[in-house]
Amino acid sequence: MITLKVNRTIKRCAFALFALLTSSSALASDVLVEAESFQNRGGWSVDQQFIDQMGSPYLIAHGLGKKVNDAQTNIEIKDKAKYYVYVRTYNWTAPWCKTAGPGKFLISINNKKLNATLGSTGDKWMWQYAGEVSLPAGKASLKLHDLTGFDGRCDAIFLTTTPTTPPNSLKELNGFRLKHNPTLQKEPAKKLFDLVVVGGGVAGMSAALSAARLGMKVALIQDRPVLGGNNSSEVRVHLGGKIEIGPFPRLGGLQKEFGPTLEGNAMPAHHYADEKKLEVVKAEKNIELFLNYRAIQAESKGNKIQSVLAQNTETAQQISFSAPLFVDCTGDGTIGYLVGADYMMGRESKDDFYETLAPNKADSLVMGSSVQWYSVKQPKPTTFPSFNYGITFTEATAEKIFRGEWTWETGMNKNQINDFEQIRDYGMLVAYSNWSYVKNQSVDRKKFANYKLEWVAYVAGKRESRRLLGDYILSEHDLSKVVDHEDASFPTSWSIDLHYPDSVNSIHFPGNEFKAITKQMVLYPHTVPYRCLYSRNIDNLFMAGRNISVTHVALGAIRVMRTTGMMGEVVGMAASLCKQFNTTPRGVYQYHLKDLKELMKKGVGNPNLPNNQKYNEGWNLEKKPVVK
């Protein structure tokens, strides 16, 4: 039988409040600076992907081997004194290399550089001692100086008059942050909406736009500065799947308004139309957009979500969002997880759903995450630093290519939530290591002499993690046998496209694969039951995206983004019916299915636009359905 994992609602950090109220008060002269709050980040970038694991965003010096510009901020020093300076950082190549790592940087205060080189030692996130400095009362300038361009990272800087290393365990660290950060001590602002959508990928955008156009007041919460998720310029995966097909041919029409028309993975930024997406969402009067806000907690009562707490990834400002209805478009099923929604993760066995593509025994293997990259030809030869931190390439193992796209996939054997930073880091490690080899050592290096490494993602493109369970769980047989359901909704047109570690890559890098292959089952287009789009045990929770109610095998067909966008449209329509009839997502299925079908027939997109969304794979109407 399938084991369902359930997590109880996470309350506000009781330990942190206890620490604030009962511990000895922090010295008034101590200063904690969260790196993501720097007033001028220079060439450093905010990385928020791992907040749940480490408690905070951080700054990363993602320069592709060239030093990035300094990050700078001003701080207030209350007392003239000698200060001991600690910096929380991480030697990110430590899992694969025991020598000093490449992410080196320095810190300076009032233009005095402290002696310690930071970010290159240790094997975990930790506080490193940077040195001491005497400071007068008043404003002081604080700077981060990148030394390599190879992803040095800084979480926080602590100045104290007593030489005591701050705590490092997540529980104690949360209390420490709260004690030293006045913003976190303030009561969160409170906002009330008809619908709260968490996650601003194609699914979340579509859910928000659909509901808003049907009269709902919608909050759209996105933890990055851009919309689009995997189809943004940060990840650069093109849209896949067919729109405007099946019994409800107006579904998907919404994407003609904001979807990019250019295809291709790992292409220049303009291919992904970030500004177009923002313009469409911002133009919708019923949507309030919250960019750079990460949902970190959720409150529930019984089987109903009361509110979601989101924190600004730069300022730490918090907002509590309340609504009768919520949509989890996080990909990881984060909101569902926080309130105890039933979910599955990994591969189910053949005995669970009798799927031909399932393994005999259930396991934790998942489709992985891609760190894509590409190079650009220059008029003159270019250089790239030697990069060798635990992954050694040879003529036999090097990938002598100029672009790495979806096949560069890591973490299939790891937990895509708990181990995600290491999964992302390994993707960058192999990209840099391989490029260093072909540029500097390969017998074919002359072919690469004029090529410059132009772009490497630091926001990884994830395919699979938690799948929240609804009243129906879509499986292989629904798709291969073209099973009709009374609540048929959005269509899926992609093949069952499952990824596995590349066998050749496994020979050379056993246990540390970074390449994937795919096995596909070609399908007829098929409609997916509406019952896959709401939680079976949380009464007011919808989901849209790769976290809906499907098996691992079925996920291979429904996870592409035009398909997830149509899920969002259907969810927005259903949410409007919940408001109209004062019912639940399940109530729409039980009592208002006819109304939902009418909305799906009408659609919410501009009907006068031509279909500019064409790319699809694995859909062949010349083939008969696969029946097994």
Side-chain angles (χ1 to χ4, degrees):
M1 296 295 293
I2 304 166
T3 299
L4 303 178
K5 300 180 181 179
V6 177
N7 184 58
R8 295 300 101 201
T9 306
I10 293 180
K11 304 296 182 183
R12 295 209 63 184
C13 186
F15 176 88
L17 291 173
F18 179 80
L20 177 66
L21 296 171
T22 63
S23 66
S24 56
S25 60
L27 293 176
S29 53
D30 290 353
V31 180
L32 176 66
V33 183
E34 297 285 0
E36 66 272 12
S37 69
F38 268 46
Q39 296 151 342
N40 178 1
R41 295 194 294 272
W44 296 66
S45 301
V46 175
D47 193 342
Q48 92 313 331
Q49 298 171 89
F50 320 109
I51 289 176
D52 298 340
Q53 288 71 46
M54 60 171 292
S56 173
Y58 58 81
L59 289 186
I60 185 170
H62 190 60
L64 312 186
K66 291 189 176 180
K67 292 188 288 186
V68 306
N69 292 335
D70 294 347
Q72 186 273 332
T73 197
N74 293 321
I75 59 176
E76 188 69 30
I77 301 298
K78 292 184 178 180
D79 298 316
K80 177 182 178 181
K82 180 170 73 174
Y83 288 84
Y84 301 90
V85 183
Y86 297 86
V87 178
R88 192 164 189 259
T89 183
Y90 175 44
N91 172 24
W92 67 272
T93 58
W96 308 280
C97 182
K98 301 306 178 186
T99 63
K104 302 175 182 178
F105 65 98
L106 300 174
I107 187 172
S108 70
I109 302 176
N110 283 346
N111 294 318
K112 177 186 176 181
K113 288 184 179 178
L114 304 188
N115 293 329
T117 299
L118 304 163
S120 60
T121 59
D123 60 1
K124 59 186 176 184
W125 276 99
M126 58 187 294
W127 291 96
Q128 295 185 2
Y129 180 61
E132 58 186 64
V133 60
S134 294
L135 297 174
K139 288 192 180 297
S141 172
L142 179 63
K143 291 183 181 179
L144 301 178
H145 307 277
D146 175 38
L147 298 178
T148 66
F150 279 127
D151 301 283
R153 50 201 71 176
C154 179
D155 173 23
I157 303 101
F158 184 56
L159 290 77
T160 178
T161 55
T162 59
T164 304
T165 305
N168 205 48
S169 73
L170 184 58
K171 198 174 190 180
E172 292 178 308
L173 185 58
N174 283 340
F176 180 79
R177 291 187 198 276
L178 179 60
K179 186 164 61 174
H180 289 87
N181 191 332
T183 300
L184 292 177
Q185 296 169 21
K186 295 178 181 177
E187 187 70 20
K190 290 180 171 59
K191 289 183 175 287
L192 177 64
F193 293 88
D194 295 327
L195 179 70
V196 173
V197 181
V198 184
V202 173
M205 290 177 60
S206 298
L209 286 164
S210 176
R213 291 182 181 184
L214 292 169
M216 302 191 80
K217 296 294 183 182
V218 181
L220 177 56
I221 304 170
Q222 166 71 336
D223 62 2
R224 298 298 303 166
V226 297
L227 294 168
N230 283 346
N231 184 240
S232 71
S233 63
E234 296 186 317
V235 183
R236 306 191 187 185
V237 177
H238 58 191
L239 297 178
K242 280 281 187 181
I243 63 171
E244 298 186 325
I245 60 172
F248 307 105
R250 291 293 306 280
L251 285 180
L254 184 60
Q255 296 176 48
K256 296 186 295 186
E257 300 180 33
F258 65 77
T261 57
L262 297 174
E263 297 174 4
N265 297 320
M267 301 296 286
H270 71 273
H271 277 237
Y272 306 94
D274 289 353
E275 288 303 318
K276 183 179 180 182
K277 295 186 181 84
L278 277 173
E279 288 171 5
V280 170
V281 170
K282 287 182 176 180
E284 191 59 52
K285 64 179 182 179
N286 283 336
I287 295 177
E288 191 168 349
L289 177 61
F290 296 87
L291 293 176
N292 295 314
Y293 273 86
R294 173 87 167 199
I296 57 172
Q297 293 172 15
E299 298 282 348
S300 65
K301 185 176 182 180
N303 292 329
K304 192 172 182 180
I305 304 174
Q306 301 296 306
S307 64
V308 165
L309 182 70
Q311 182 168 308
N312 190 287
T313 58
E314 297 176 2
T315 67
Q317 177 191 13
Q318 294 184 341
I319 300 176
S320 177
F321 296 86
S322 298
L325 298 162
F326 295 81
V327 190
D328 190 331
C329 298
T330 62
D332 285 335
T334 302
I335 304 305
Y337 174 80
L338 289 174
V339 295
D342 293 341
Y343 72 93
M344 299 189 299
M345 195 169 178
R347 299 194 298 178
E348 296 77 40
S349 73
K350 274 188 168 63
D351 289 341
D352 290 326
F353 292 90
Y354 306 103
E355 297 172 303
T356 64
L357 299 179
N360 290 327
K361 185 177 180 181
D363 59 30
S364 59
L365 189 75
V366 295
M367 289 180 279
S369 297
S370 288
V371 171
Q372 301 186 124
W373 59 271
Y374 69 86
S375 62
V376 172
K377 192 172 185 179
Q378 304 294 306
K380 296 180 180 180
T382 67
T383 61
F384 188 78
S386 175
F387 189 95
N388 189 351
Y389 292 90
I391 300 296
T392 301
F393 284 93
T394 66
E395 289 299 304
T397 61
E399 298 278 336
K400 298 179 181 179
I401 56 177
F402 300 95
R403 179 186 307 275
E405 48 171 295
W406 71 264
T407 58
W408 287 63
E409 184 172 340
T410 62
M412 288 173 276
N413 293 304
K414 292 186 177 296
N415 186 297
Q416 288 280 333
I417 295 171
N418 297 337
D419 302 324
F420 192 38
E421 185 174 24
Q422 187 177 127
I423 290 168
R424 188 281 308 269
D425 287 349
Y426 187 62
M428 294 195 302
L429 180 78
V430 294
Y432 295 147
S433 301
N434 184 77
W435 189 250
S436 176
Y437 181 85
V438 299
K439 283 284 286 183
N440 300 318
Q441 295 173 265
S442 171
V443 296
D444 297 316
R445 57 187 177 274
K446 287 185 179 180
K447 294 180 182 178
F448 296 86
N450 282 36
Y451 280 84
K452 170 191 173 186
L453 189 60
E454 181 72 9
W455 176 79
V456 177
Y458 73 90
V459 179
K462 193 185 295 190
R463 290 176 179 82
E464 179 180 5
S465 54
R466 302 185 191 102
R467 288 165 278 119
L468 304 177
L469 300 184
D471 280 347
Y472 192 85
I473 302 173
L474 191 78
S475 71
E476 174 190 323
H477 296 297
D478 292 288
L479 301 171
S480 65
K481 295 181 180 180
V482 198
V483 177
D484 289 326
H485 294 274
E486 63 173 344
D487 59 332
S489 61
F490 68 93
T492 180
S493 59
W494 204 255
S495 62
I496 295 182
D497 178 1
L498 297 171
H499 292 203
Y500 303 87
D502 182 284
S503 57
V504 175
N505 198 242
S506 295
I507 293 172
H508 297 306
F509 302 94
N512 285 304
E513 296 89 354
F514 60 86
K515 296 294 294 296
I517 58 171
T518 180
K519 298 178 183 178
Q520 301 191 15
M521 177 187 285
V522 177
L523 302 169
Y524 262 29
H526 175 67
T527 48
V528 177
Y530 162 70
R531 286 166 291 162
C532 295
L533 298 176
Y534 61 86
S535 170
R536 71 186 189 185
N537 69 310
I538 302 299
D539 294 341
N540 60 340
L541 177 63
F542 288 102
M543 51 267 193
R546 59 180 173 81
N547 60 355
I548 71 166
S549 184
V550 297
T551 65
H552 165 83
V553 172
L555 180 66
I558 64 91
R559 61 185 172 80
V560 293
M561 283 180 278
R562 289 200 186 104
T563 303
T564 65
M566 290 186 285
M567 297 177 200
E569 284 186 66
V570 174
V571 161
M573 295 170 183
S576 74
L577 294 174
C578 289
K579 179 183 178 183
Q580 180 181 346
F581 295 107
N582 190 28
T583 190
T584 63
R586 180 179 288 117
V588 172
Y589 168 69
Q590 293 173 324
Y591 306 113
H592 303 287
L593 196 54
K594 182 179 178 181
D595 299 286
L596 179 60
K597 290 180 178 180
E598 286 299 316
L599 289 176
M600 290 190 289
K601 286 179 183 177
K602 292 178 182 178
V604 291
N606 184 341
N608 300 315
L609 295 177
N611 188 350
N612 57 9
Q613 304 289 302
K614 298 291 188 181
Y615 176 69
N616 193 46
E617 179 179 299
W619 180 36
N620 188 347
L621 284 178
E622 300 303 317
K623 289 194 175 186
K624 293 181 180 179
V626 180
V627 179
K628 295 184 179 180

